Amino acid sequence: MKYIVFILLTWLSLNQVGQDLYACKNAKISLFSSAPLEDIQASTNTGTSVYNAATGDLAFSVNIRSFKFPKSLMQEHFNENYMDSDKYPRATFKGKVNEKADVSKNGTYPVTATGDLTVHGVTQTRTIPGTITVNNGTLSMTSEFMVKCVDHKIDIPTLVFKHIAETIKMNVSATYTPAK
């Protein structure tokens, strides 16, 4: 985990050494799939992220196996049958926030981030909507977006297609502290 944060910090700091860097080691990421026979949901609070407020550079990383499901069988199927978590252990986003948020004063800023979303070993360029909130020196980001399984070559067998939706809703929430 520390290794991933180190890599993210190093990547972002190449553009600007130590200035306006923010890190989050416990981003909450949840997924939800609504299907005719059963809703599927899972969450983790172990996502890592680094944000450079000066350049807009943003990086997220999450261990796929860290997602917890209400039913252990769902978790097993998710990791072994769909996400191939041993082969593709992480999902990542590396890009740039398109709008400038003033991190020196309180406010809520609607933003978009454009970059590469890698899930299941497949990278797609995406523009993802979100919000940056600054409150008394605390910086947080939230986002809700959809991921199509087919875009990341996640196969859903026809035998279970009524159990799993073709599109998964993702929610991300991260609170940042200044990186030293």
Side-chain angles (χ1 to χ4, degrees):
M1 174 69 93
K2 290 180 184 178
Y3 179 71
I4 298 296
V5 171
F6 174 75
I7 289 174
L8 292 173
L9 284 170
T10 302
W11 174 75
L12 286 174
S13 66
L14 291 176
N15 294 325
Q16 188 167 355
V17 178
Q19 189 175 351
D20 294 321
L21 278 181
Y22 295 86
C24 175
K25 297 178 186 175
N26 59 351
K28 182 174 181 178
I29 302 168
S30 63
L31 59 89
F32 180 78
S33 163
S34 182
L37 294 181
E38 186 172 28
D39 289 344
I40 297 172
Q41 58 189 19
S43 65
T44 181
N45 61 357
T46 63
T48 57
S49 178
V50 178
Y51 172 59
N52 185 324
T55 64
D57 290 331
L58 177 66
F60 268 91
S61 181
V62 65
N63 182 325
I64 297 299
R65 285 198 176 274
S66 71
F67 282 95
K68 301 299 178 208
F69 290 75
K71 297 178 183 176
S72 61
L73 188 58
M74 281 183 182
Q75 190 162 329
E76 182 180 330
H77 285 242
F78 174 78
N79 284 301
E80 294 177 12
N81 299 348
Y82 303 106
M83 296 302 292
D84 301 313
S85 298
D86 289 336
K87 187 174 182 181
Y88 309 109
R90 304 198 77 71
T92 61
F93 177 83
K94 186 169 77 169
K96 189 175 282 263
V97 175
N98 298 311
E99 298 79 13
K100 182 85 169 152
D102 186 349
V103 297
S104 68
K105 67 178 187 177
N106 289 350
T108 301
Y109 306 92
V111 295
T112 56
T114 300
D116 293 331
L117 176 66
T118 302
V119 178
H120 197 245
V122 177
T123 301
Q124 294 281 321
T125 299
R126 297 279 309 267
T127 297
I128 298 173
T131 302
I132 295 176
T133 302
V134 180
N135 186 11
N136 297 327
T138 301
L139 176 75
S140 61
M141 288 188 195
T142 58
S143 179
E144 180 177 297
F145 59 98
M146 305 300 281
V147 175
K148 291 182 181 178
C149 294
V150 68
D151 287 350
H152 295 278
K153 297 184 181 174
I154 300 168
D155 294 325
I156 302 171
T158 53
L159 185 63
V160 295
F161 79 94
K162 289 187 179 182
H163 291 277
I164 301 172
E166 295 176 24
T167 304
I168 308 298
K169 180 170 63 171
M170 303 298 302
N171 281 289
V172 178
S173 177
T175 302
Y176 295 82
T177 55
K180 304 286 183 213

